Amino acid sequence: MNDRAKALESLAAKRWQVSLILSAAMMFIYFGFILLIAFNKPLLGSLVLPGLSLGILLGVLVIISAWVLIFIYVRWANNYYDNKVAKLIDK
């Protein structure tokens, strides 16, 4: 196997690793929220502010965390992955 193929394989493994870490983080956040709904409804019904329950607040934070994790992946892909692929193509 030549150096380019090894570098490409290493790059693919790194992309897979980043994807798994971010996916695991999202699953932890989402399933944590679902388990909280299933096992502690009274807590989620408590009011944080008048008209705003903890459940609604956490639901919004789950959605925002998905956006943040997507932003992290896109930024990583644009700044690291794409640059490495471009360097491999130019060789």
Side-chain angles (χ1 to χ4, degrees), residues 24-35:
M26 189 66 232
M27 287 179 63
F28 177 78
I29 292 166
Y30 177 75
F31 286 116
F33 179 65
I34 296 300
L35 288 172

Side-chain angles (χ1 to χ4, degrees), residues 1-83:
M1 192 184 297
N2 63 14
D3 289 339
R4 183 183 267 181
K6 286 180 185 177
L8 187 58
E9 192 173 288
S10 172
L11 192 56
K14 183 68 174 173
R15 185 185 68 189
W16 184 245
Q17 180 185 15
V18 169
S19 298
L20 283 177
I21 290 169
L22 294 175
S23 295
M26 189 66 232
M27 287 179 63
F28 177 78
I29 292 166
Y30 177 75
F31 286 116
F33 179 65
I34 296 300
L35 288 172
L36 203 54
I37 290 170
F39 295 110
N40 204 349
K41 286 184 179 106
L43 175 67
L44 294 178
S46 62
L47 293 179
V48 176
L49 297 171
L52 178 65
S53 70
L54 182 61
I56 296 297
L57 179 62
L58 291 177
V60 169
L61 291 176
V62 167
I63 293 169
I64 291 172
S65 69
W67 292 343
V68 168
L69 292 173
I70 290 168
F71 174 79
I72 289 169
Y73 180 78
V74 169
R75 184 138 172 124
W76 175 84
N78 288 340
N79 292 335
Y80 178 81
Y81 182 77
D82 290 347
N83 289 337

Side-chain angles (χ1 to χ4, degrees), residues 3-5 7-8 11 83-91:
D3 289 339
R4 183 183 267 181
L8 187 58
L11 192 56
N83 289 337
K84 294 282 187 177
V85 169
K87 286 178 185 176
L88 284 174
I89 290 172
D90 289 342
K91 282 187 176 180

